[in-house]
Amino acid sequence: MFYLRFWRRIRILKSIYLNLSKKGFSFSIKGRILNITLGKHGIRLTLGIHKTGVSLTEYKSYKRN
């Protein structure tokens, strides 16, 4: 089975990006160690060690349970 995947990242400022996909859009703020992505369902925080492939990701939903 094949899936068609579409995405595009557009640079707005030096470290702020607009991410586009089939399902919608989000904004990313890229730092050296911390990346923040604001999407329609929540916020994703990613802490990573550059050039090692090691990262830690936390997702926080906008909805309260």
Side-chain angles (χ1 to χ4, degrees):
M1 181 176 265
F2 295 98
Y3 295 98
L4 178 62
R5 182 172 181 250
F6 166 78
W7 67 273
R8 181 74 177 151
R9 179 174 289 146
I10 300 169
R11 185 181 199 174
I12 297 174
L13 294 173
K14 184 178 179 181
S15 60
I16 299 176
Y17 297 87
L18 172 64
N19 307 307
L20 303 170
S21 72
K22 287 190 311 184
K23 294 184 179 184
F25 66 93
S26 65
F27 289 97
S28 294
I29 302 168
K30 303 278 187 182
R32 277 194 155 217
I33 297 172
L34 179 66
N35 296 329
I36 303 168
T37 302
L38 307 166
K40 67 179 180 178
H41 296 294
I43 299 172
R44 175 173 283 121
L45 304 170
T46 303
L47 182 66
I49 302 171
H50 189 63
K51 294 187 179 181
T52 62
V54 176
S55 66
L56 177 66
T57 300
E58 181 178 358
Y59 180 76
K60 296 183 180 190
S61 177
Y62 294 134
K63 291 184 180 182
R64 299 261 186 214
N65 290 334

Coordinates of all heavy atoms in Angstrom, one line a residue:
M1 N 0.8 -1.2 0.0 CA 0.0 0.0 0.0 C 0.9 1.2 0.0 O 1.9 1.3 0.7 CB -0.9 0.0 1.2 CG -1.8 1.2 1.3 SD -3.0 1.1 2.6 CE -4.3 0.4 1.8
F2 N 0.5 2.3 -0.7 CA 1.3 3.5 -0.9 C 0.5 4.6 -0.3 O -0.8 4.7 -0.4 CB 1.6 3.8 -2.3 CG 2.5 2.8 -3.0 CD1 1.9 1.8 -3.7 CD2 3.8 2.8 -2.8 CE1 2.8 0.8 -4.3 CE2 4.7 1.9 -3.3 CZ 4.1 0.9 -4.1
Y3 N 1.2 5.6 0.3 CA 0.6 6.8 0.9 C 1.2 8.0 0.3 O 2.5 8.0 0.2 CB 0.8 6.8 2.4 CG 0.0 5.7 3.1 CD1 0.7 4.6 3.5 CD2 -1.3 5.8 3.4 CE1 0.1 3.6 4.2 CE2 -2.0 4.8 4.1 CZ -1.3 3.7 4.5 OH -1.9 2.7 5.1
L4 N 0.5 8.9 -0.1 CA 1.0 10.2 -0.7 C 1.2 11.1 0.5 O 0.3 11.4 1.2 CB 0.0 10.8 -1.7 CG 0.5 12.1 -2.3 CD1 1.8 11.9 -3.1 CD2 -0.6 12.7 -3.2
R5 N 2.4 11.6 0.7 CA 2.7 12.5 1.7 C 3.2 13.8 1.1 O 4.1 13.8 0.3 CB 3.8 11.9 2.6 CG 4.2 12.8 3.8 CD 5.2 12.0 4.7 NE 5.5 12.8 5.9 CZ 6.7 13.4 6.1 NH1 7.7 13.1 5.2 NH2 6.9 14.1 7.1
F6 N 2.7 14.9 1.6 CA 3.1 16.2 1.1 C 3.4 17.1 2.3 O 2.7 17.1 3.3 CB 2.0 16.9 0.3 CG 2.2 18.4 0.1 CD1 3.1 18.8 -0.8 CD2 1.6 19.3 0.9 CE1 3.3 20.2 -1.0 CE2 1.8 20.7 0.7 CZ 2.7 21.1 -0.2
W7 N 4.6 17.8 2.3 CA 4.9 18.8 3.3 C 5.9 19.8 2.7 O 6.6 19.5 1.7 CB 5.5 18.2 4.5 CG 6.8 17.6 4.4 CD1 7.1 16.3 4.0 CD2 8.1 18.2 4.5 NE1 8.4 16.1 3.9 CE2 9.1 17.3 4.2 CE3 8.5 19.5 4.9 CZ2 10.4 17.5 4.3 CZ3 9.8 19.7 4.9 CH2 10.8 18.8 4.6
R8 N 5.9 21.0 3.2 CA 6.8 22.0 2.7 C 7.1 22.9 3.9 O 6.2 23.3 4.7 CB 6.1 22.8 1.6 CG 6.9 23.9 1.1 CD 8.0 23.3 0.2 NE 8.7 24.5 -0.4 CZ 10.0 24.4 -0.8 NH1 10.6 23.3 -0.6 NH2 10.6 25.4 -1.3
R9 N 8.3 23.3 4.1 CA 8.7 24.2 5.2 C 9.2 25.6 4.5 O 10.0 25.6 3.6 CB 9.9 23.6 6.0 CG 10.3 24.6 7.0 CD 11.4 23.9 7.9 NE 10.7 22.9 8.7 CZ 11.2 21.7 9.1 NH1 12.4 21.4 8.7 NH2 10.6 20.9 9.8
I10 N 8.6 26.7 5.0 CA 8.9 28.0 4.4 C 9.5 28.8 5.5 O 8.9 29.0 6.6 CB 7.6 28.7 3.9 CG1 7.0 27.8 2.7 CG2 7.9 30.1 3.4 CD1 5.6 28.3 2.3
R11 N 10.6 29.4 5.3 CA 11.3 30.2 6.3 C 10.7 31.6 6.3 O 10.5 32.3 5.3 CB 12.8 30.3 5.9 CG 13.6 31.1 6.9 CD 15.0 31.1 6.4 NE 15.9 31.4 7.5 CZ 17.2 31.4 7.4 NH1 17.8 31.1 6.3 NH2 17.9 31.7 8.4
I12 N 10.2 32.1 7.5 CA 9.6 33.4 7.6 C 10.7 34.4 8.1 O 10.8 35.4 7.6 CB 8.4 33.3 8.6 CG1 7.3 32.4 8.0 CG2 7.9 34.7 8.9 CD1 6.2 32.1 8.9
L13 N 11.3 34.0 9.2 CA 12.4 34.8 9.8 C 13.6 33.9 10.0 O 13.5 32.7 9.6 CB 12.0 35.5 11.1 CG 11.0 36.5 11.0 CD1 10.5 37.0 12.4 CD2 11.4 37.7 10.2
K14 N 14.7 34.3 10.6 CA 15.9 33.5 10.8 C 15.6 32.2 11.4 O 16.1 31.2 10.9 CB 16.9 34.3 11.6 CG 18.2 33.6 11.7 CD 19.2 34.4 12.5 CE 20.5 33.6 12.7 NZ 21.5 34.3 13.4
S15 N 14.8 32.1 12.4 CA 14.6 30.8 13.1 C 13.1 30.5 13.2 O 12.7 29.6 14.0 CB 15.3 30.8 14.5 OG 14.7 31.9 15.2
I16 N 12.2 31.1 12.4 CA 10.8 30.9 12.5 C 10.4 30.3 11.1 O 10.7 31.0 10.1 CB 10.0 32.1 12.9 CG1 10.4 32.6 14.3 CG2 8.5 31.8 12.8 CD1 9.8 33.8 14.7
Y17 N 9.6 29.2 11.1 CA 9.2 28.6 9.9 C 7.7 28.3 9.9 O 7.1 28.1 10.9 CB 9.9 27.2 9.7 CG 11.4 27.3 9.6 CD1 12.2 27.4 10.7 CD2 12.0 27.4 8.4 CE1 13.6 27.5 10.6 CE2 13.4 27.5 8.2 CZ 14.2 27.6 9.3 OH 15.5 27.7 9.2
L18 N 7.1 28.3 8.7 CA 5.8 27.9 8.5 C 5.8 26.5 7.8 O 6.5 26.4 6.8 CB 5.0 28.9 7.6 CG 3.6 28.5 7.1 CD1 2.7 28.4 8.3 CD2 3.1 29.5 6.1
N19 N 5.2 25.5 8.4 CA 5.2 24.2 7.9 C 3.8 23.9 7.3 O 2.8 24.0 7.9 CB 5.5 23.2 9.1 CG 6.7 23.5 9.8 OD1 7.8 23.7 9.3 ND2 6.6 23.7 11.1
L20 N 3.8 23.4 6.1 CA 2.6 23.1 5.4 C 2.5 21.6 5.0 O 3.5 21.0 4.7 CB 2.5 23.9 4.0 CG 2.6 25.4 4.1 CD1 2.8 26.0 2.8 CD2 1.4 26.0 4.8
S21 N 1.3 21.0 5.2 CA 1.1 19.7 4.8 C -0.3 19.5 4.3 O -1.1 20.4 4.3 CB 1.4 18.7 6.0 OG 0.3 18.8 6.9
K22 N -0.6 18.2 3.9 CA -2.0 17.9 3.5 C -3.0 18.2 4.6 O -4.1 18.6 4.3 CB -2.1 16.4 3.1 CG -1.5 16.1 1.8 CD -1.8 14.7 1.4 CE -1.7 13.6 2.5 NZ -2.0 12.3 2.0
K23 N -2.7 18.0 5.8 CA -3.6 18.1 6.9 C -3.7 19.5 7.5 O -4.5 19.7 8.4 CB -3.3 17.1 8.0 CG -3.5 15.7 7.5 CD -3.2 14.7 8.6 CE -3.4 13.3 8.2 NZ -3.3 12.3 9.3
G24 N -2.8 20.4 7.1 CA -2.9 21.7 7.7 C -1.5 22.4 7.8 O -0.7 22.1 7.0
F25 N -1.4 23.3 8.8 CA -0.1 24.0 8.9 C 0.3 24.2 10.4 O -0.6 24.0 11.2 CB -0.2 25.4 8.2 CG -1.2 26.3 8.9 CD1 -0.8 27.2 9.9 CD2 -2.5 26.3 8.6 CE1 -1.6 28.0 10.5 CE2 -3.4 27.2 9.2 CZ -3.0 28.0 10.2
S26 N 1.5 24.5 10.6 CA 2.0 24.7 11.9 C 3.2 25.7 11.8 O 3.7 26.0 10.7 CB 2.5 23.4 12.6 OG 3.6 22.9 11.9
F27 N 3.6 26.3 13.0 CA 4.7 27.2 13.0 C 5.8 26.5 13.9 O 5.5 25.9 14.9 CB 4.3 28.5 13.7 CG 3.4 29.3 12.8 CD1 2.1 29.3 12.9 CD2 4.0 30.1 11.8 CE1 1.3 30.1 12.1 CE2 3.2 30.9 11.0 CZ 1.8 30.9 11.1
S28 N 7.1 26.7 13.5 CA 8.2 26.1 14.2 C 9.1 27.3 14.6 O 9.4 28.1 13.8 CB 8.9 25.1 13.4 OG 8.1 24.0 13.2
I29 N 9.7 27.2 15.8 CA 10.7 28.1 16.3 C 11.9 27.2 16.5 O 11.9 26.3 17.4 CB 10.3 28.9 17.5 CG1 9.0 29.6 17.2 CG2 11.4 29.8 18.0 CD1 8.4 30.2 18.5
K30 N 13.0 27.4 15.8 CA 14.1 26.5 15.8 C 15.2 27.2 16.6 O 15.6 28.3 16.3 CB 14.7 26.2 14.4 CG 13.6 25.5 13.5 CD 13.6 24.1 13.8 CE 12.7 23.4 12.8 NZ 12.5 22.0 13.0
G31 N 15.8 26.5 17.6 CA 16.9 27.0 18.4 C 18.1 26.0 18.3 O 17.9 25.0 17.6
R32 N 19.2 26.3 18.9 CA 20.3 25.4 18.9 C 20.0 24.0 19.6 O 20.3 23.0 19.1 CB 21.5 26.0 19.6 CG 22.2 26.9 18.7 CD 23.6 27.2 19.3 NE 24.4 27.5 18.2 CZ 25.6 27.2 18.0 NH1 26.3 26.7 19.0 NH2 26.2 27.5 16.9
I33 N 19.3 24.1 20.7 CA 19.0 22.9 21.5 C 17.5 22.6 21.5 O 17.1 21.5 21.5 CB 19.6 23.1 22.9 CG1 21.1 23.2 22.9 CG2 19.2 21.9 23.8 CD1 21.7 23.6 24.2
L34 N 16.7 23.6 21.6 CA 15.3 23.5 21.7 C 14.5 23.9 20.5 O 14.7 25.0 20.0 CB 14.8 24.3 23.0 CG 13.3 24.2 23.3 CD1 12.9 22.8 23.7 CD2 13.0 25.2 24.4
N35 N 13.6 23.1 20.0 CA 12.7 23.4 18.9 C 11.2 23.4 19.5 O 10.9 22.5 20.2 CB 12.8 22.4 17.8 CG 14.2 22.4 17.2 OD1 14.8 23.4 17.1 ND2 14.6 21.3 16.7
I36 N 10.5 24.4 19.1 CA 9.1 24.5 19.5 C 8.2 24.5 18.3 O 8.4 25.3 17.4 CB 8.8 25.8 20.4 CG1 9.8 25.8 21.6 CG2 7.4 25.9 20.8 CD1 9.8 27.1 22.3
T37 N 7.2 23.6 18.2 CA 6.3 23.6 17.1 C 4.9 23.8 17.6 O 4.4 23.1 18.5 CB 6.3 22.2 16.4 OG1 7.7 22.0 15.9 CG2 5.4 22.2 15.2
L38 N 4.2 24.8 17.1 CA 2.8 25.2 17.4 C 1.9 24.7 16.3 O 1.9 25.2 15.2 CB 2.7 26.7 17.6 CG 3.7 27.3 18.6 CD1 3.7 28.8 18.4 CD2 3.4 26.9 20.0
G39 N 1.1 23.6 16.6 CA 0.2 23.1 15.6 C -1.3 23.3 16.0 O -1.5 24.0 17.0
K40 N -2.2 22.8 15.3 CA -3.6 23.1 15.6 C -4.1 22.3 16.8 O -5.1 22.6 17.3 CB -4.5 22.8 14.3 CG -4.6 21.4 13.9 CD -5.5 21.3 12.7 CE -5.6 19.8 12.2 NZ -6.5 19.8 11.0
H41 N -3.4 21.2 17.2 CA -3.9 20.4 18.3 C -3.0 20.6 19.6 O -3.5 20.2 20.7 CB -3.9 18.9 17.9 CG -4.8 18.6 16.9 ND1 -6.2 18.7 17.0 CD2 -4.7 18.2 15.6 CE1 -6.8 18.3 15.9 NE2 -5.9 18.0 15.0
G42 N -1.8 21.2 19.4 CA -1.0 21.3 20.6 C 0.4 21.8 20.3 O 0.7 22.2 19.2
I43 N 1.2 21.8 21.3 CA 2.6 22.3 21.2 C 3.5 21.1 21.4 O 3.4 20.3 22.3 CB 2.9 23.3 22.4 CG1 1.9 24.5 22.2 CG2 4.3 23.8 22.3 CD1 2.0 25.5 23.4
R44 N 4.6 21.0 20.6 CA 5.6 20.0 20.7 C 6.9 20.7 21.0 O 7.3 21.6 20.3 CB 5.7 19.2 19.3 CG 6.8 18.2 19.4 CD 6.8 17.3 18.1 NE 5.7 16.4 18.3 CZ 4.7 16.2 17.5 NH1 4.6 17.0 16.4 NH2 3.8 15.3 17.7
L45 N 7.5 20.2 22.1 CA 8.8 20.7 22.5 C 9.9 19.6 22.2 O 9.7 18.5 22.7 CB 8.8 21.1 24.0 CG 7.8 22.1 24.4 CD1 7.7 22.1 25.9 CD2 8.1 23.4 23.8
T46 N 10.9 19.9 21.5 CA 11.9 18.9 21.2 C 13.3 19.4 21.7 O 13.7 20.5 21.2 CB 12.0 18.6 19.7 OG1 10.7 18.1 19.3 CG2 13.0 17.5 19.4
L47 N 13.9 18.7 22.6 CA 15.2 19.0 23.1 C 16.2 18.0 22.5 O 16.0 16.8 22.7 CB 15.2 18.9 24.6 CG 16.5 19.3 25.4 CD1 16.8 20.8 25.2 CD2 16.3 19.0 26.8
G48 N 17.2 18.5 21.8 CA 18.2 17.6 21.2 C 19.6 17.9 21.3 O 19.9 19.1 21.5
I49 N 20.5 17.0 21.2 CA 21.9 17.2 21.2 C 22.3 17.1 19.7 O 22.2 16.1 19.0 CB 22.6 16.1 22.0 CG1 22.1 16.1 23.4 CG2 24.1 16.3 21.9 CD1 22.6 14.9 24.2
H50 N 22.9 18.3 19.2 CA 23.2 18.5 17.8 C 24.2 17.4 17.3 O 25.1 17.1 18.0 CB 23.8 19.9 17.7 CG 24.0 20.3 16.3 ND1 23.0 20.4 15.4 CD2 25.1 20.6 15.6 CE1 23.5 20.8 14.2 NE2 24.8 20.9 14.3
K51 N 23.9 16.9 16.1 CA 24.7 15.9 15.4 C 24.9 14.6 16.1 O 25.8 13.8 15.7 CB 26.1 16.5 15.1 CG 26.0 17.7 14.1 CD 27.4 18.1 13.7 CE 27.3 19.3 12.8 NZ 28.6 19.7 12.3
T52 N 24.0 14.2 17.1 CA 24.1 12.9 17.7 C 22.9 12.0 17.4 O 23.0 10.8 17.5 CB 24.2 13.1 19.2 OG1 23.0 13.7 19.7 CG2 25.4 13.9 19.7
G53 N 21.8 12.6 17.0 CA 20.6 11.9 16.7 C 19.8 11.6 18.0 O 18.8 10.9 18.0
V54 N 20.3 12.2 19.1 CA 19.6 12.0 20.4 C 18.7 13.2 20.7 O 19.1 14.3 20.6 CB 20.6 11.8 21.6 CG1 20.0 11.7 22.9 CG2 21.6 10.7 21.3
S55 N 17.4 12.9 21.0 CA 16.5 13.9 21.3 C 15.4 13.4 22.2 O 15.1 12.2 22.3 CB 15.8 14.5 20.0 OG 15.0 13.5 19.4
L56 N 14.7 14.4 22.9 CA 13.6 14.1 23.8 C 12.5 15.0 23.3 O 12.7 16.2 23.2 CB 14.0 14.4 25.2 CG 13.0 14.3 26.3 CD1 12.6 12.8 26.4 CD2 13.5 14.8 27.6
T57 N 11.3 14.4 23.1 CA 10.1 15.2 22.6 C 9.0 15.1 23.6 O 8.7 14.0 24.1 CB 9.7 14.7 21.3 OG1 10.8 14.8 20.3 CG2 8.5 15.4 20.7
E58 N 8.4 16.2 23.9 CA 7.2 16.3 24.8 C 6.1 17.0 24.0 O 6.3 18.0 23.3 CB 7.5 17.0 26.1 CG 6.3 17.0 27.0 CD 6.5 17.7 28.3 OE1 7.7 18.1 28.5 OE2 5.6 17.8 29.1
Y59 N 4.9 16.4 24.1 CA 3.7 17.0 23.4 C 2.7 17.4 24.4 O 2.4 16.7 25.3 CB 3.1 16.0 22.5 CG 1.9 16.5 21.7 CD1 2.0 17.3 20.6 CD2 0.6 16.1 22.1 CE1 0.9 17.8 20.0 CE2 -0.5 16.6 21.4 CZ -0.3 17.5 20.4 OH -1.4 18.0 19.7
K60 N 2.2 18.7 24.3 CA 1.2 19.2 25.2 C 0.0 19.6 24.4 O 0.1 20.5 23.5 CB 1.7 20.4 26.0 CG 2.9 20.1 26.9 CD 3.3 21.2 27.7 CE 4.5 20.8 28.6 NZ 4.8 21.8 29.5
S61 N -1.2 18.9 24.6 CA -2.4 19.2 23.9 C -3.0 20.5 24.4 O -2.9 20.9 25.6 CB -3.4 18.1 24.1 OG -4.6 18.4 23.5
Y62 N -3.7 21.2 23.5 CA -4.4 22.4 23.9 C -5.7 22.1 24.8 O -6.1 22.8 25.6 CB -4.9 23.2 22.7 CG -3.8 23.8 21.9 CD1 -3.8 23.7 20.5 CD2 -2.7 24.5 22.5 CE1 -2.8 24.3 19.8 CE2 -1.7 25.1 21.8 CZ -1.7 25.0 20.4 OH -0.7 25.5 19.7
K63 N -6.2 20.9 24.5 CA -7.4 20.5 25.2 C -7.1 20.0 26.6 O -6.1 19.4 26.9 CB -8.1 19.3 24.5 CG -8.7 19.7 23.2 CD -9.4 18.5 22.6 CE -10.0 18.8 21.2 NZ -10.7 17.7 20.6
R64 N -8.0 20.3 27.5 CA -7.9 19.8 28.9 C -8.7 18.6 29.1 O -9.8 18.4 28.6 CB -8.5 20.9 29.9 CG -7.8 22.2 29.8 CD -6.9 22.3 31.0 NE -6.3 23.6 31.0 CZ -5.1 23.8 31.4 NH1 -4.3 22.9 31.7 NH2 -4.6 25.1 31.4
N65 N -8.1 17.6 29.7 CA -8.8 16.3 29.9 C -9.6 16.3 31.2 O -9.3 16.8 32.2 CB -7.8 15.1 29.9 CG -7.3 14.9 28.5 OD1 -8.0 15.3 27.5 ND2 -6.1 14.4 28.4

